[in-house]
Amino acid sequence: MSSAINVEDIRENFKEDKHLIFGFTPMCGTCKISERMLDIANEILKLPVKKIDLNFHPEFSEENKIMSVPVLMVMNKDKEMDRIYAFQSVPYLLEKLK
C-alpha cells in the first residue's frame, strides 16, 4: 500500500472532546490556502487535526456526504458538530472553532 492514510487513522482522535478533520485533494489550490489558514488558526487553538487526502477515502466522503473540498469537520468524539467549506479568513476560523 502507498503512503495513503488508512481509515483507522481518520478515527484516531475520536476519543477527544474536540478535534478537526480536514479533507483536501492535492490538486486543489483553495485547499492549500485553506490549510495554511487552518495551520495559523490552530497555532493558537492547538486542537488535534487529522488531514486526509479525500482521493484515498471515497467511502469516507460518501458516508459523510462531503460535497466539495476543502472541508473542515469540527468533531466532538465521533460526532460532527459543524462543517466548514468556506474558510474565509483566519479570524473567521478562530471564531468558528472556539
Side-chain angles (χ1 to χ4, degrees), residues 33-98:
I33 296 163
S34 299
E35 181 177 17
R36 185 74 192 114
M37 284 194 275
L38 174 60
D39 290 345
I40 293 165
N42 208 34
E43 281 172 26
I44 296 161
L45 298 169
K46 308 260 189 270
L47 294 169
V49 179
K50 177 56 66 184
K51 295 179 180 181
I52 57 170
D53 179 344
L54 292 174
N55 287 331
F56 293 107
H57 299 284
E59 65 296 321
F60 181 80
S61 297
E62 206 168 290
E63 276 169 31
N64 292 284
K65 298 179 176 43
I66 293 171
M67 299 301 166
S68 64
V69 291
V71 60
L72 185 66
M73 298 167 70
V74 182
M75 307 292 291
N76 178 312
K77 300 199 184 331
D78 63 346
K79 304 268 183 290
E80 183 179 351
M81 305 313 287
D82 197 8
R83 182 178 296 199
I84 302 168
Y85 285 110
F87 287 48
Q88 297 179 26
S89 66
V90 171
Y92 172 82
L93 276 180
L94 286 168
E95 195 53 45
K96 292 286 283 180
L97 298 175
K98 274 184 187 158

